[in-house]
Amino acid sequence: MTVGVVVPAAGAGIRLGPGSPKALRVLAGEPLLVHAVRRLRACPSIGPVVVAAPPAAVAEVVALLAAYAVTVVPGGAERQDSVAAALAALPAEVELVLVHDAARALVPVEVVEAVVSALRDGADAVVPVLPVADTVKQVGVGGEVLGTVPREDLRLVQTPQGFRREVLEAAHRAAPGSLTDDAGLVEAAGVTVHTVLGSAEAFKVTTPFDLLVAEAVLARG
Ligand code: CTP
Ligand code: MG
């Protein structure tokens, strides 16, 4: 079964502070998006890749990724719009789809392959997860603690998230909106979402501190 990847990369990167869109911010000499796509291309299972680029930077992204055989489409206003636009551009032969945030630029090949394996083993949907290290509390509107949430039951969810194509497309058709996570759409449709072990290196670059961490990870090699 052919595995395709859609890469939402059209976000502004507001939490990174002023500058170019996040996917184009430079990390160790190259844009985040180039790091992300290179890692995807290093995965033996991966076929077609479609990137949803910032609409004003489509030509720039096409040029940056010329060596990686990807299709580039303009992204949308919300992440989910960007995912839908990229999904629509995947070739017909793609039966298994991964959705991978450009912002998770340092995802290890092993995490991608673990997601693909779970799909090949028959899962409709699969997400990489990590245990929660911190104690988690629920707070009220005034900031007062309402209770402690047992963290043993909680997981932090990463990407790539993998789906049988028809399951993801049906969920998108059923729930146009703006969830931050594709598995959430599929859950809402009643589909069981499986988990595999993620990686600390698949963290999402969100703040300037995360760029420092990413530089350190790359420097370590
Ligand atoms: N994304 C997208 N289209 C959007 C919004 C987000 O393709 N309209 C992508 C981002 O480029 C990123 C991923 O979705 O790869 C996860 O989003 P996030 O980390 O929130 O990135 P930004 O939206 O760019 O950051 P911020 O929320 O700080 O502006
Ligand atoms: Mg965002």
Side-chain angles (χ1 to χ4, degrees):
M1 279 190 284
T2 302
V3 183
V5 188
V6 306
V7 183
I14 301 294
R15 289 169 288 179
L16 266 186
S20 44
K22 178 156 66 179
L24 300 176
R25 297 289 181 103
V26 173
L27 172 62
E30 286 181 308
L32 277 176
L33 177 59
V34 173
H35 287 279
V37 169
R38 185 186 303 113
R39 275 154 197 264
L40 291 170
R41 274 281 168 251
C43 298
S45 309
I46 297 305
V49 174
V50 180
V51 173
V58 169
E60 186 180 344
V61 167
V62 167
L64 277 173
L65 298 177
Y68 296 99
V70 302
T71 300
V72 181
V73 299
E78 303 288 342
R79 181 183 180 282
Q80 198 174 319
D81 304 321
S82 298
V83 171
L87 257 181
L90 272 179
E93 73 265 21
V94 171
E95 289 175 86
L96 303 176
V97 179
L98 306 189
V99 182
H100 181 60
D101 289 334
R104 297 186 187 271
L106 304 185
V107 64
V109 167
E110 301 74 52
V111 173
V112 180
E113 293 296 329
V115 171
V116 173
S117 290
L119 290 174
R120 290 203 191 284
D121 288 345
D124 283 335
V126 55
V127 296
V129 299
L130 287 179
V132 176
D134 293 319
T135 297
V136 179
K137 296 203 189 286
Q138 188 175 11
V139 297
V141 285
E144 76 284 10
V145 171
L146 300 177
T148 302
V149 185
R151 71 178 177 214
E152 299 72 32
D153 299 340
L154 300 178
R155 298 291 183 274
L156 301 173
V157 178
Q158 304 181 319
T159 73
Q161 301 191 346
F163 307 90
R164 273 203 303 117
R165 182 182 188 159
E166 63 201 55
V167 167
L168 182 59
E169 288 182 338
H172 268 262
R173 277 194 302 273
S178 57
L179 276 187
T180 56
D181 147 89
D182 300 280
L185 287 178
V186 166
E187 285 156 46
V191 174
T192 300
V193 178
H194 295 264
T195 61
V196 296
L197 185 62
S199 165
E201 292 183 23
F203 74 102
K204 185 158 69 82
V205 172
T206 305
T207 65
F209 178 78
D210 298 328
L211 278 178
L212 290 177
V213 175
E215 298 268 3
V217 170
L218 284 170
R220 187 203 53 183

